[in-house]
Amino acid sequence: MEYRKFSQGYALRLDPGEEVVDCLTRLVEQENVQLGTVSALGAANDVTMGIFDTQEKKYYSRRCQGQYEISALVGNVTRQEGKPYLHLHITIGNPSTGEVYAGHLSACTISATLELFLQVWDGQIGRKFSDTVGLNLLEFEA
């Protein structure tokens, strides 16, 4: 992973074999990012994504291995109990096979490159687990 800091955030490049969630978490920890938004595109060959079943309050995952374009990787960075909390969604596809998949990103290994922009916001927003929903929701302190 290589990155450069700008006044409004960071531009990152990930190379083949690098894992997105791990690299972004490391950057957020190293640079002490408290709040931000993520936008990225690139190519991957191993992606695990999921969907949350609101009735069962449980994630179901799917692993996709092959050649995929990342047409959209979006999300946010917050904190939960002082630790980085990434909430990322991804859409991948392969025009040759007609496959398209989307979901909550758990892991993504880059096959060619990833170009990611992390916009940093002033302030903090926390996360708190909701028993009602079954997820860690944004928590706005008064």
Side-chain angles (χ1 to χ4, degrees):
M1 167 182 66
E2 289 190 42
Y3 68 90
R4 179 176 286 173
K5 184 176 182 176
F6 295 90
S7 61
Q8 62 272 47
Y10 300 84
L12 290 76
R13 186 194 76 232
L14 274 63
D15 295 320
E18 293 189 293
E19 200 284 313
V20 175
V21 177
D22 177 59
C23 287
L24 185 55
T25 301
R26 279 196 339 253
L27 173 104
V28 166
E29 287 175 337
Q30 286 172 203
E31 297 291 332
N32 197 30
V33 174
Q34 300 295 309
L35 181 62
T37 53
V38 174
S39 176
L41 50 82
N45 57 13
D46 191 354
V47 181
T48 302
M49 65 185 76
I51 186 165
F52 185 74
D53 184 311
T54 57
Q55 298 300 314
E56 295 182 34
K57 293 184 175 40
K58 163 179 172 177
Y59 270 102
Y60 287 92
S61 294
R62 174 187 197 114
R63 186 173 183 191
C64 299
Q65 294 179 295
Q67 297 305 311
Y68 296 101
E69 289 291 326
I70 300 169
S71 62
L73 192 164
V74 298
N76 59 58
V77 174
T78 56
R79 294 281 172 150
Q80 184 170 17
E81 297 176 2
K83 296 181 181 176
Y85 189 98
L86 307 181
H87 185 188
L88 305 170
H89 285 203
I90 192 167
T91 302
I92 61 172
N94 182 324
S96 298
T97 63
E99 296 172 272
V100 177
Y101 303 102
H104 176 87
L105 181 63
S106 299
C108 178
T109 302
I110 299 306
S111 62
T113 190
L114 183 79
E115 299 171 356
L116 186 147
F117 290 83
L118 171 60
Q119 181 183 11
V120 176
W121 295 40
D122 288 333
Q124 281 188 320
I125 297 176
R127 294 271 176 179
K128 185 175 181 183
F129 185 77
S130 166
D131 289 324
T132 304
V133 179
L135 294 169
N136 295 310
L137 303 181
L138 292 176
E139 180 180 48
F140 302 97
E141 296 180 22

